Amino acid sequence: MKQILREKLIVRESFAMAFQGGEIWFEQLDALSIYKELVMEKFQKDMEIIKRPSTTGLIAINLNETEVDTDMIQQILGNLAGVSNLQKVVFVGLSNMIKRYLKRWFSQTPVSFVCNCIDDYEKAKLWLVGR
């Protein structure tokens, strides 16, 4: 993975947006390179919004160009597992190793939402809204 100097990072705001008759929360954790603490700090901040009952149950988590390890993905999944209104979560930009870890985690952990890993952002959005 290409390392970016911390002062050159662009931390994009996460947001909810209408998409083809549904609403998706776009969790923007992409292009944060190797800065695990920054990724997790941003995710924890955004969890305050994700946990609200009024927030959509469809979430796209963009991790393109961000180095993700099993500890990070376990923390993300653990937080999401506690959100009662989640319906579908899609991860975009994960390595094959982390995708295998996700499959194993979901086979061992009962959760109330469906999860997928799709590397194409447009296809991921369509999967979330059921098209």
Side-chain angles (χ1 to χ4, degrees), residues 7-70:
E7 56 271 4
K8 294 197 178 214
L9 290 177
I10 298 172
V11 180
R12 299 184 312 138
E13 289 296 317
S14 300
F15 58 93
M17 186 174 82
F19 180 77
Q20 292 198 1
E23 184 179 63
I24 300 172
W25 175 261
F26 293 96
E27 182 63 25
Q28 303 296 7
L29 302 174
D30 59 317
L32 297 179
S33 189
I34 62 166
Y35 302 101
K36 176 181 176 176
E37 69 286 344
L38 179 63
V39 174
M40 296 314 298
E41 184 179 295
K42 182 174 183 327
F43 178 73
Q44 289 300 327
K45 182 182 136 214
D46 290 342
M47 274 303 297
E48 295 305 314
I49 297 169
I50 293 170
K51 290 190 293 190
R52 293 179 187 161
S54 60
T55 300
T56 179
L58 307 175
I59 298 180
I61 301 177
N62 186 0
L63 289 158
N64 278 314
E65 298 181 37
T66 297
E67 190 173 297
V68 179
D69 62 24
T70 55

Side-chain angles (χ1 to χ4, degrees), residues 12-129:
R12 299 184 312 138
E13 289 296 317
S14 300
F15 58 93
M17 186 174 82
F19 180 77
Q20 292 198 1
E23 184 179 63
I24 300 172
W25 175 261
F26 293 96
E27 182 63 25
Q28 303 296 7
L29 302 174
D30 59 317
L32 297 179
S33 189
I34 62 166
Y35 302 101
K36 176 181 176 176
E37 69 286 344
L38 179 63
V39 174
M40 296 314 298
E41 184 179 295
K42 182 174 183 327
F43 178 73
Q44 289 300 327
K45 182 182 136 214
D46 290 342
M47 274 303 297
E48 295 305 314
I49 297 169
I50 293 170
K51 290 190 293 190
R52 293 179 187 161
S54 60
T55 300
T56 179
L58 307 175
I59 298 180
I61 301 177
N62 186 0
L63 289 158
N64 278 314
E65 298 181 37
T66 297
E67 190 173 297
V68 179
D69 62 24
T70 55
D71 182 51
M72 288 171 67
I73 203 70
Q74 190 172 18
Q75 287 180 50
I76 290 170
L77 291 168
N79 277 280
L80 293 175
V83 179
S84 61
N85 66 323
L86 277 186
Q87 298 167 11
K88 288 182 170 182
V89 175
V90 66
F91 289 91
V92 180
L94 292 178
S95 69
N96 287 333
M97 180 188 81
I98 298 299
K99 287 177 186 176
R100 284 190 300 274
Y101 178 84
L102 268 177
K103 281 186 180 184
R104 192 169 54 250
W105 190 88
F106 275 98
S107 71
Q108 299 169 355
T109 309
V111 293
S112 62
F113 60 91
V114 179
C115 184
N116 203 349
C117 298
I118 302 174
D119 290 329
D120 181 300
Y121 207 59
E122 292 304 312
K123 288 179 182 175
K125 293 188 300 188
L126 290 171
W127 178 82
L128 282 171
V129 295

